Amino acid sequence: PQERLLAGLGLAARMFAPIEDSLAVVRPEAGWLTADQAHTFIREAALLLQASGFGVLLPGLSTKLGVRLKLGSRQQTKAPEGGVAHLAFESVIAFDWELALGDQPLARDEFERLAALKVPLVQIRGQWVELRPEQLQQALDFLEKQQRAGELALDEALRMALAPDAVAGLPVAGVDAEGWFGDLLKQMSDPARLKPLPPPAGFVGQLRHYQTTGFAWLAFLRQFGLGACLADDMGLGKTIETIALLLHLRGVNGKKNKPALLVCPTSVVSNWQHEVARFAPSLRVLIHHGLAREKENFTRAARRHDLVVTSYALLHRDEQLLSEVEWGE
């Protein structure tokens, strides 16, 4: 066994030279590595040794140096009513941030001590962490340029919380939300929290259970000026859910309701006209398509309708004409 161990270590030393130092004793038991050597072993040599049949055990390694965000409503500010489109001051969200290793916050002085070591591998709070030079520099630049706290518009805060990307090149390690803003995020991330909506007045037909959920989801996002993507398979009722939303918005806004613009492929323009007539005959629909489409009095005609349907091709061709209309929010 001892000879096999020595022969194995000799072979391993050809792939990772620092192992050779352990062969200076008759019965080698361990070897010592510098932080740079340990980093090279973890990133390069371990894979080569494993590919050659050696068993390799490594400590857990975290590379999640990032920014943790704290978002919340301003003090003494109630939840907005009517969404971001109707408010200014109330839609401002306070934010704060801190550096983090994984889910553990990292104080500035603690990080600066680690950066001063200028080694790629450090142990902090019992966890091995890889500190890449480019990440260190990004973090240092971020610390120098960024203020400790600030404000964000509601829509920007929602984007940052729901689809965190990166801040100054550093990944967003987590988002903590408080107050009504935190409640809003919980509701948006858990459809089960959505309050079911009854079928809108004027809807002819019956919504299936998943269509009811989709309709409620669209109406919920609309409250806060947010768009949505319905990604159901073909034939499951995306058109019906949208028609229900249009009826719902007309019921909410009443006479103040502005016309909605619906853009679709040319091949389904007539289908939209047919479906609206079937499920929402009370909606006034204007088809803006074909050579005979209204041009001279288009703005006035659009205002007399609840829905204007056009095609992708005409959206570009009639851009100036369509932009003259104040469409529904």
Side-chain angles (χ1 to χ4, degrees), residues 71-318:
L71 302 171
S73 52
R74 293 163 57 103
Q75 276 191 324
Q76 299 178 345
T77 300
K78 296 181 180 180
E81 297 178 0
V84 68
H86 301 281
L87 295 170
F89 178 81
E90 286 82 358
S91 65
V92 173
I93 301 300
F95 83 92
D96 199 354
W97 59 268
E98 60 187 359
L99 289 174
L101 285 174
D103 57 357
Q104 296 295 319
L106 191 64
R108 176 168 180 160
D109 59 344
E110 191 175 16
F111 170 74
E112 289 178 342
R113 285 198 302 271
L114 292 176
L117 296 175
K118 296 184 178 179
V119 292
L121 199 63
V122 297
Q123 191 177 34
I124 178 172
R125 302 174 193 171
Q127 183 179 28
W128 286 100
V129 179
E130 180 185 20
L131 295 179
R132 300 181 182 180
E134 64 273 15
Q135 279 192 320
L136 288 175
Q137 192 58 52
Q138 287 172 344
L140 290 171
D141 292 343
F142 180 76
L143 287 171
E144 291 297 325
K145 296 177 182 179
Q146 295 294 321
Q147 296 179 351
R148 184 63 187 172
E151 295 175 343
L152 291 173
L154 176 59
D155 56 346
E156 178 65 14
L158 285 171
R159 184 199 63 77
M160 187 173 290
L162 295 172
D165 184 12
V167 177
L170 292 173
V172 176
V175 178
D176 298 322
E178 302 174 346
W180 64 260
F181 183 72
D183 294 337
L184 172 63
L185 286 181
K186 290 178 182 177
Q187 191 168 8
M188 295 186 73
S189 59
D190 184 5
R193 294 172 176 262
L194 279 178
K195 295 180 180 179
L197 291 176
F203 185 81
V204 179
Q206 186 173 357
L207 293 170
R208 297 188 176 96
H209 67 90
Y210 61 86
Q211 293 171 342
T212 300
T213 301
F215 159 53
W217 172 247
L218 291 174
F220 171 73
L221 293 179
R222 199 66 172 179
Q223 273 185 283
F224 296 94
L226 299 173
C229 175
L230 288 177
D232 293 338
D233 289 338
M234 185 178 295
L236 291 183
K238 298 184 293 294
T239 301
I240 297 173
E241 293 172 44
T242 304
I243 292 173
L245 175 68
L246 292 173
L247 283 170
H248 171 75
L249 292 175
R250 189 174 70 164
V252 170
N253 299 326
K255 295 182 179 179
K256 297 181 181 179
N257 199 45
K258 300 169 185 175
L261 176 63
L262 191 147
V263 185
C264 61
T266 302
S267 59
V268 297
V269 168
S270 59
N271 181 68
W272 269 99
Q273 185 178 20
H274 171 76
E275 294 292 274
V276 173
R278 175 184 175 187
F279 292 101
S282 62
L283 284 181
R284 299 163 298 172
V285 182
L286 172 64
I287 302 299
H288 183 70
H289 186 65
L291 296 176
R293 65 186 183 278
E294 182 67 64
K295 293 182 179 180
E296 293 184 4
N297 299 310
F298 174 73
T299 301
R300 185 181 302 173
R303 289 172 181 167
R304 293 197 301 264
H305 292 80
D306 300 300
L307 176 65
V308 177
V309 181
T310 190
S311 65
Y312 292 126
L314 288 181
L315 182 67
H316 175 70
R317 191 180 307 172
D318 290 357

